[in-house]
Amino acid sequence: MTQHQSQYYLDYNATCPQLPEVTQAMREVVETAFGNPSSLHWAGRNARRKLDDARDAMAKFFHVESGSVVFTSGGTESNNMVIQGVIAGFESGHIVLSAIEHPAILQAVEQWCARFSGWSFTTVKPNKDGKVEAHTLMQACTDDTKLVCLMWANNETGVIQPVFEVAQACREKHILCFVDAVQALGKLDVNLDKLGADFVSFSAHKIGGPRGVGALIQKRGRKLESLMIGGGQERGRRSGTEYVAGAYGFAVALGVLDYTRAQSVRDDFEAKLKQAIPKVAIFGEGNARTANTSMFCVPGLEGETLLMQMDLMGFAVASGSACSSGKREPSHVLLAMGAPDVQARSSLRVSFGVDADESVVDALLQGLLKVQERLKKMSGRG
Ligand SMILES: Cc1ncc(COP(=O)(O)O)c(C=O)c1O
């Protein structure tokens, strides 16, 4: 009989397995509330009721009004809605954003500012520990600045950003504030009433909800030119027949995952990693980070090779480098933090799930050490 090796999923920041209660709730909605929420008959009304329930649950969870919740197809769409919506809404302007934003913001700002001659932007780097200082970000604002973008928690390092300070400073300067909270959801207390930002984006699949579903929380009175023109759904903010089961599944997933245990698992892993490989560099270690995330670099090992070797041993982890036009690019986050190119290419990200425990840490460490040994031998250094 073949002995199957164990598999470890340690890439929760990329996506989470869908929660069984989400799947069940969605199945029920698909089967019983299949109507188009815009239809006036009973089937439409059934679907409308489920959509309203989902919106109300989201609003309650985030401490906002139900009318602020716009359902979208995910974090990428929510982010693009804000960038494109603001740019299309003014003749000219300036955007300040951090250099560690997700590509759905970085590239959207770059490309849309290039298309509209009256628009420009300034990117602000984090410190060497991965935190973007609020005062540095605000110093980059000019009289022309219309929008400031800062993510709540970084997807690669997990470093938590000073979004409360930035939102407050933006309010004082009458500048719109946009927070990408995709990685904060499920890991931090996302009370948007306390935050007071104008726009906040979320994605369902990062918390065990369905893929292809997201939300944009748009403060009352804040207008965005709409990307989707059509039937005027979502109060004209996002046309298209609503994905009722998806929205419902998102609402069911809220608050289910609890990362409390992941913090001690992550800390235990990093302590043991440093003991086993003293030269390891852990990114963002000096800052508050989301509980489940560890990004590090083992000197001398190329991240992509390490990732593939770890995969062969059953570990699903991520490398910091991103694939762009068939080329491996070093992590833009680590480069912005001032990490040398070679380090930015050789990083590995582990993002633990809520059920990780000491046995996972020990298996992961053994795996890493085995791969390190194997790669050293292959390169003739062993
Ligand atoms: C910080 C951040 N923003 C946005 C996104 C995009 O979300 P989605 O996959 O729902 O489009 C991600 C996904 O990795 C993310 O980590």
Side-chain angles (χ1 to χ4, degrees):
M1 203 173 101
T2 323
Q3 172 82 45
H4 288 288
Q5 71 170 7
S6 302
Q7 287 188 319
Y8 298 89
Y9 185 73
L10 300 170
D11 201 10
Y12 270 63
N13 285 9
T15 197
C16 284
Q18 189 164 304
L19 296 161
E21 53 266 57
V22 168
T23 307
Q24 195 187 330
M26 287 177 71
R27 183 176 301 137
E28 266 173 44
V29 173
V30 166
E31 287 168 1
T32 63
F34 50 82
N36 184 327
S38 299
S39 301
L40 297 178
H41 46 63
W42 60 266
R45 285 196 303 276
N46 279 349
R48 170 65 55 194
R49 219 169 285 129
K50 290 291 181 196
L51 189 62
D52 288 346
D53 288 351
R55 202 184 305 282
D56 291 345
M58 300 276 288
K60 193 163 172 223
F61 187 86
F62 294 124
H63 301 268
V64 297
E65 301 168 72
S66 294
S68 305
V69 181
V70 185
F71 285 110
T72 68
S73 69
T76 299
E77 183 185 336
S78 302
N79 288 351
N80 273 273
M81 273 171 76
V82 178
I83 305 304
Q84 298 183 34
V86 168
I87 290 180
F90 296 90
E91 279 281 296
S92 63
H94 174 249
I95 296 176
V96 172
L97 72 164
S98 89
I100 58 168
E101 296 300 303
H102 189 271
I105 291 180
L106 274 177
Q107 291 185 20
V109 168
E110 237 170 72
Q111 293 184 21
W112 280 82
C113 283
R115 273 182 223 177
F116 292 86
S117 55
W119 279 87
S120 62
F121 65 94
T122 304
T123 41
V124 174
K125 286 189 177 170
N127 62 22
K128 65 173 181 29
D129 286 320
K131 184 175 166 193
V132 180
E133 300 294 355
H135 63 90
T136 322
L137 199 69
M138 296 315 294
Q139 268 165 12
C141 292
T142 67
D143 290 346
D144 214 16
T145 304
K146 301 285 189 300
L147 179 70
V148 170
C149 312
L150 180 64
M151 64 192 344
W152 200 320
N154 183 260
N155 42 309
E156 295 191 20
T157 60
V159 172
I160 299 166
Q161 305 299 327
V163 287
F164 289 89
E165 277 172 81
V166 169
Q168 163 85 31
C170 283
R171 276 196 302 279
E172 286 163 10
K173 286 178 177 269
H174 304 289
I175 297 172
L176 293 169
C177 176
F178 171 35
V179 174
D180 174 342
V182 168
Q183 292 291 339
L185 185 55
K187 298 164 192 154
L188 302 172
D189 175 19
V190 284
N191 182 330
L192 301 189
D193 185 38
K194 279 194 201 152
L195 178 66
D198 299 285
F199 307 105
V200 185
S201 58
F202 294 105
S203 175
H205 71 99
K206 307 286 184 184
I207 59 159
R211 246 143 272 187
V213 180
L216 178 68
I217 311 299
Q218 194 170 328
K219 212 180 198 177
R220 183 205 271 260
R222 302 303 180 272
K223 297 239 173 326
L224 284 176
E225 287 293 312
S226 181
L227 292 189
M228 298 291 207
I229 316 288
Q233 287 89 344
E234 300 290 276
R235 298 189 182 190
R237 294 170 295 188
R238 202 267 188 184
S239 286
T241 302
E242 303 90 335
Y243 179 23
V244 180
Y248 200 83
F250 192 174
V252 168
L254 291 171
V256 175
L257 296 187
D258 175 3
Y259 279 96
T260 316
R261 188 161 65 167
Q263 171 94 46
S264 62
V265 168
R266 191 270 313 275
D267 293 348
D268 181 34
F269 165 67
E270 291 186 346
K272 288 178 173 164
L273 180 66
K274 281 191 274 190
Q275 232 171 19
I277 309 174
K279 283 192 181 153
V280 74
I282 296 173
F283 299 104
E285 202 187 359
N287 276 312
R289 287 175 291 161
T290 44
N292 72 327
T293 310
S294 180
M295 193 178 206
F296 55 92
C297 151
V298 180
L301 297 185
E302 207 271 314
E304 201 64 13
T305 319
L306 194 53
L307 182 141
M308 286 187 307
Q309 290 288 332
M310 290 300 285
D311 181 31
L312 287 174
M313 295 179 67
F315 295 95
V317 293
S319 85
S321 64
C323 193
S324 153
S325 330
K327 267 190 358 211
R328 298 306 307 180
E329 299 289 348
S331 154
H332 72 282
V333 175
L334 299 186
L335 287 180
M337 286 164 65
D341 191 88
V342 62
Q343 250 193 10
R345 282 179 194 280
S346 60
S347 55
L348 214 61
R349 180 190 69 188
V350 172
S351 45
F352 293 101
V354 285
D355 53 352
D357 59 14
E358 208 185 329
S359 69
V360 174
V361 168
D362 292 341
L364 176 63
L365 271 165
Q366 276 177 20
L368 273 170
L369 291 174
K370 231 183 249 177
V371 169
Q372 190 191 26
E373 203 48 43
R374 194 180 294 166
L375 292 177
K376 266 189 197 164
K377 274 194 189 132
M378 275 162 57
S379 67
R381 285 183 286 129

